[in-house]
Amino acid sequence: MPTATVKEPSKKDTSRRLQRHRNIGIMAHIDAGKTTFTERILFLTSKIHRTGEVHDGEATMDFLEEEQKRGITIQSAATSVDWNDHSINIIDTPGHVDFTAEVERSLRVLDGAVAVFDAVQGVEAQSETVWRQADRYGVPRLCFINKMDRVGADYFKAIQSIVDRLDARPVVLQLPIGIEKDFRGVVDLVTRKAYEFLSDDEGKAYNEIEIPAEIREEVEVHRHDLCEAAAEMDEDVLDLFVEDEEIPAEMLVRAIRKGTLAMELTPVFCGSALKHKGVRFVLDAVVDYLPSPLDIPPVEGRNPRTDETEARKPETGDPVSLLAFKTIAEPTGDLTFVRVYSGTLDKGMKVLNPRTRKTERIGRLVRIHANKREALESIGPGDIAAVMGLKNTATGDTLCAEDHPIALSEIQFPESVISMSIEPRKGQDRDKLTDVIARMMREDPTFRATTVEETGDLVISGMGELHLEVIVNRIVKDYGCEVATGRPKVAYKQELTKPIDTEARFVRQTGGRGQFAVVHVRFETGETEDGTLAFVDEIKGGAVPREYIAPVAAGIREGTVGGGRSGYPFVNVRATLYDGKAHDVDSSEMAFHSAGALAFRQAIAGNTTILEPIMKIEVRVPEEFLGAVVGDLNSRRGEVGEIESLGDQRVIRGIVPIAEMFAYSSALRGATQGRGSFSMELEKYRAVPAALAEKILGGDS
C-alpha cells in the first residue's frame, strides 16, 4: 500500500496563513472585565455555546478552583478562535499585581493586546503596570472601555485618564449612543455608521440605524480628529485631509493600522462585555489593526557557539526556533507553552536547549483551550501551542535546531518581596512537600523556596500576601499536603554603606601541603548589570594567577547571596580585585575562593545598610472615609503623593513600606465599611530608618 506524503506548505501558503493570524492578550486591572470580555469572544466565535460568569465561578478561562472561589484570574489561560477568516490565539492574563509574572511572560510572546478599562474607574493601578510591560516588549494594543452601562460611566474621562496616566495617544474610533442605563449602541467613526444593540440574550444581534440627531455634530468633530491623526500616519490621507476632501474608510483603516503597529496611535472602542455589547466590533478591530506575525520584525538571538547576533524570520524554511514561556507541572510530565518564531515544530522532533546544552524530544503537541487540549502533528511559525513531556525546559528557555543554535532573549521577572516559613504538619509529608514546591517553582518563576542552613527551616517567597496564600491553599487542596506556616516576613536586602579596601589572607601552613591565598579587593556600591555583583579584574603582572581569579569572584558572590549574619542578600556591590599573592605549592582554587569570601566578610563588618521594599499604592475610598484612610497610611510610614476625585470616590496614590502593610486589606475593610479597595506594586528599595534597622538586625522583624 503506498505511503501518503504530506506536501510541505509553500512560502506563499505560509505567508497567506500568517497574514490571517493574530496572537493577542487581554490585559487590565482586576475587575475591569477581562475574563468576561474573553468569555464573550468565545461565545461570539461559537467556541462555547453558553457563557459562564466570573461572579458565579463558571467562566471558561478561570478553571482553577482558586480562581472560581475568589472570582479572579490567577494564571494566564490560552485559547484560539476563528473570526472573519482569521485565526486568533488569545491569552487571558491576571489583573492582580501579585500575579504580574503571568502578564510578563505572556506579553513577551504576543504580537498585540487589548487593554480593557472600566468606564467608571478609568486607568487603575494595575492597568498602568501592564501598559508599561506592553511598552517594554513593544506590543501594539487596542483599548476597550468596558462597563459603559454602569452608573458613573464616563467615556471621555476614561480616555483622558489614558492620556494623563499612560502617556499614550488614544484615537476614538467609536462614540457611544447613550450612557449608563441608556447605553444602547455605538457610532463607527471610520464608516460613519451607527449600530443599535438588540436585547437578545445571545448578544449577536444589532441593527444599523441613522446616527441620532443629537450627536451628529459630535460625530463630525471626532471624525475630524480621527482623520487628523490618520493624516499624520499616511501621506495619501494627508493630501485628502489638507484639501478637506472625504477620506474613504479603507484609507483610514490603512493609516490607523500603520499608526497602531508603530505604537503611535491606540484605537479606542466601547461597550459592555457583560451585556454582550460591543465585543464583536473589537474582534473586527483585532483583525483590522493589530499585527500579524509578518508585521513583527524578525526575532533576534545570540548564537551560543559564535556569540554573534542572528535573526529568524517567521518562515517554514528557516531553522526551527521557539521560546518556552509558561510551564504547568503535571504528574505525567510538564506541559510547556511555546511560541514558534521560525521553522516548523514537528511531533517527535529533537531540539536543542542552549541553556542546558541538552536535546529534548518533542512528545505530544497540543492546542490549548482553557483546560481542554486538541492534539496536533506540527506547529508552524508564528503560532502558539503547548508541548507535553519536556523534561529539562524551564520558563524563558529557547528550543532550536541542533545544527543552527540560537538563544533568544530571556524573560525578566520581578523579585519577590515577601516570605514565610512553611513545614508539613506530618513528618512523613516532608518529601512530598519538597516535590510539590519544586513543581510549583517550575510553574511560577516569581515563587521561590530556600532552606535556611542554620535552622533547617523551609522559606517560601512571592510577590505578596495573596500570592503566598493562593500557593499554600493549592499545596493543601490540590496536592493534599497539610502544612503550617509562619507569619509573613519582608524580603529585606543590604548594601555597603561606604567604600572600603580589604586585604584578606587565607593562610593555613602547618606542615605538609597547606593553603595560601592573599587578595586585595576594593568594595563599593554602584549599579550592576544583574543588580547584585559586578566583579572587576585589575590584576597586573600575574600577582594572582589567571586560574585563581574566577574562584575569588565566586567566593565574593557566595558572600553577597548569603547576606552575612542577617542573611539578607547584598545588592549593587562592585568588587575590584587589584592585587594579591600566590604560593607555588600551597595555593589552590579552594584557597582563593575562601580568600574572596573572607574579603567580603571583612568588608561588610559594621558597613551595611538595610534596604526595604517600598510599594507604590493606590487606595480608592468613598469621600467620607478619606481622612481616616490617609491618617492610617501616615501611621504606617506612608507618603501620600496625590489625591484625585473620581465621582463620589477619592483615589489616594503614594508609597508605603510593605513591612507596614501586612493584613491591610482587613484594616481597610474595617475603616471603610467594606467599601474601600487598594492595590500595590513594588516601586523601589530604600534604606530603612536607623532605629528599625537595629530591630531587624536584632531579629525582631
Side-chain angles (χ1 to χ4, degrees), residues 411-588:
I411 307 171
Q412 300 299 318
F413 293 105
E415 297 182 38
S416 53
V417 295
I418 186 173
S419 62
M420 64 167 63
S421 61
I422 186 171
E423 62 179 3
R425 291 192 182 276
K426 300 174 184 174
Q428 62 264 34
D429 283 346
R430 189 166 298 278
D431 288 343
K432 181 179 180 180
L433 178 60
T434 302
D435 290 342
V436 168
I437 285 178
R439 290 175 66 176
M440 298 182 86
M441 286 174 65
R442 288 206 306 276
E443 290 186 2
D444 183 352
T446 60
F447 170 59
R448 299 174 177 96
T450 55
T451 301
V452 180
E453 288 186 17
E454 291 81 359
T455 62
D457 289 344
L458 182 61
V459 176
I460 58 174
S461 305
M463 300 304 297
E465 282 186 280
L466 178 62
H467 188 197
L468 294 185
E469 183 184 328
V470 166
I471 282 170
V472 170
N473 284 350
R474 286 192 62 199
I475 291 172
V476 174
K477 292 178 180 175
D478 294 358
Y479 297 100
C481 184
E482 291 291 331
V483 295
T485 58
R487 63 185 290 266
K489 294 184 178 180
V490 178
Y492 293 108
K493 294 184 178 181
Q494 300 181 86
E495 68 179 10
L496 297 173
T497 304
K498 60 182 184 293
I500 189 169
D501 278 40
T502 64
E503 178 193 23
R505 302 177 62 85
F506 188 78
V507 180
R508 305 285 187 274
Q509 292 173 306
T510 55
R513 179 160 184 174
Q515 299 286 343
F516 184 93
V518 178
V519 295
H520 294 255
V521 186
R522 181 168 55 253
F523 290 96
E524 54 199 330
T525 297
E527 291 295 320
T528 63
E529 189 173 328
D530 63 358
T532 54
L533 173 69
F535 180 80
V536 181
D537 170 18
E538 286 189 358
I539 291 295
K540 294 182 175 65
V544 176
R546 289 283 104 198
E547 64 268 25
Y548 297 146
I549 289 174
V552 174
I556 294 172
R557 184 172 294 279
E558 190 177 272
T560 64
V561 173
R565 185 170 63 88
S566 68
Y568 301 123
F570 279 80
V571 294
N572 298 328
V573 176
R574 292 185 63 84
T576 303
L577 175 65
Y578 62 90
D579 200 1
K581 293 179 184 176
H583 189 279
D584 291 341
V585 176
D586 292 346
S587 288
S588 65

Side-chain angles (χ1 to χ4, degrees), residues 92-103:
D92 176 30
T93 64
H96 196 288
V97 68
D98 281 19
F99 310 107
T100 191
E102 293 288 327
V103 186

Side-chain angles (χ1 to χ4, degrees), residues 11-22:
K11 191 172 181 179
K12 188 175 180 182
D13 291 338
T14 301
S15 178
R16 190 181 299 115
R17 178 185 71 82
L18 289 177
Q19 284 171 352
R20 296 182 174 278
H21 187 76
R22 302 288 183 270

Side-chain angles (χ1 to χ4, degrees), residues 298-301 310-324 338-345 349 351-352 354 379-383 397-402 404-408:
V299 67
E300 291 189 344
E310 295 184 5
R312 295 283 189 271
K313 297 177 182 177
E315 296 175 357
T316 53
D318 265 28
V320 69
S321 65
L322 52 146
L323 186 75
V338 298
R339 160 74 187 260
V340 178
Y341 283 97
S342 63
T344 301
L345 185 69
M349 176 185 279
V351 289
L352 173 71
I379 310 171
D383 211 348
D397 281 354
T398 301
L399 296 174
C400 58
E402 292 182 80
H404 291 88
I406 189 171
L408 306 177

Side-chain angles (χ1 to χ4, degrees), residues 30-88:
I30 190 169
D31 286 337
K34 294 178 316 305
T35 301
T36 300
F37 177 76
T38 308
E39 194 80 2
R40 298 309 181 259
I41 289 177
L42 297 178
F43 183 72
L44 269 175
T45 56
S46 301
K47 196 78 177 186
I48 59 176
H49 303 291
R50 184 182 71 86
T51 54
E53 306 304 344
V54 174
H55 51 265
D56 294 331
E58 296 179 353
T60 305
M61 305 298 276
D62 285 350
F63 55 85
L64 292 180
E65 183 181 338
E66 282 291 312
E67 294 177 317
Q68 294 167 352
K69 184 178 78 174
R70 297 172 186 272
I72 63 171
T73 301
I74 290 171
Q75 70 173 23
S76 54
T79 189
S80 58
V81 300
D82 294 319
W83 183 256
N84 285 358
D85 235 6
H86 285 66
S87 62
I88 306 173

Side-chain angles (χ1 to χ4, degrees), residues 107-334:
L107 287 172
R108 170 64 177 81
V109 298
L110 292 171
D111 301 329
V114 177
V116 180
F117 299 93
D118 186 317
V120 179
Q121 306 289 353
V123 172
E124 299 174 85
Q126 185 64 2
S127 327
E128 197 171 341
T129 303
V130 297
W131 193 273
R132 302 295 179 216
Q133 288 172 308
D135 280 344
R136 189 162 64 250
Y137 288 114
V139 178
R141 67 219 79 144
L142 312 174
C143 295
F144 179 63
I145 310 297
N146 192 24
K147 304 187 180 182
M148 287 293 296
D149 52 354
R150 275 188 65 194
V151 174
D154 190 326
Y155 185 48
F156 288 104
K157 190 168 184 179
I159 292 172
Q160 189 58 44
S161 72
I162 294 172
V163 176
D164 296 340
R165 295 195 61 190
L166 304 180
D167 196 26
R169 187 182 178 185
V171 288
V172 178
L173 266 63
Q174 286 182 341
L175 281 188
I177 302 174
I179 200 78
E180 298 183 344
K181 64 181 176 55
D182 296 323
F183 175 64
R184 65 185 190 280
V186 294
V187 178
D188 184 335
L189 295 178
V190 174
T191 61
R192 280 201 187 91
K193 291 181 179 178
Y195 302 100
E196 184 177 47
F197 304 119
L198 300 184
S199 58
D200 76 319
D201 58 3
E202 291 193 351
K204 296 181 179 180
Y206 62 93
N207 279 339
E208 186 176 330
I209 61 172
E210 288 288 324
I211 296 175
E214 64 271 18
I215 62 170
R216 282 178 192 160
E217 188 175 326
E218 189 180 5
V219 166
E220 291 308 311
V221 169
H222 286 286
R223 192 176 195 276
H224 181 274
D225 292 343
L226 172 61
C227 292
E228 184 177 12
E232 295 177 29
M233 304 296 136
D234 189 288
E235 289 193 7
D236 294 337
V237 176
L238 177 62
D239 292 340
L240 294 176
F241 182 74
V242 170
E243 297 296 327
D244 203 21
E245 294 184 23
E246 180 64 19
I247 301 172
E250 58 272 17
M251 288 182 67
L252 274 180
V253 169
R254 185 183 69 200
I256 296 163
R257 176 180 177 81
K258 188 176 179 182
T260 305
L261 298 188
M263 293 176 60
E264 294 181 24
L265 301 178
T266 308
V268 182
F269 302 83
C270 62
S272 170
L274 185 64
K275 300 292 177 57
H276 297 261
K277 296 177 179 178
V279 176
R280 66 182 307 112
F281 298 123
V282 181
L283 270 178
D284 291 339
V286 166
V287 167
D288 288 341
Y289 303 119
L290 288 184
S292 75
L294 293 177
D295 296 313
I296 305 299
V299 67
E300 291 189 344
R302 179 182 56 82
N303 185 320
R305 293 174 184 167
T306 65
D307 212 30
E308 293 180 355
T309 300
E310 295 184 5
R312 295 283 189 271
K313 297 177 182 177
E315 296 175 357
T316 53
D318 265 28
V320 69
S321 65
L322 52 146
L323 186 75
F325 67 94
K326 178 180 172 67
T327 299
I328 297 178
E330 297 186 335
T332 54
D334 289 353

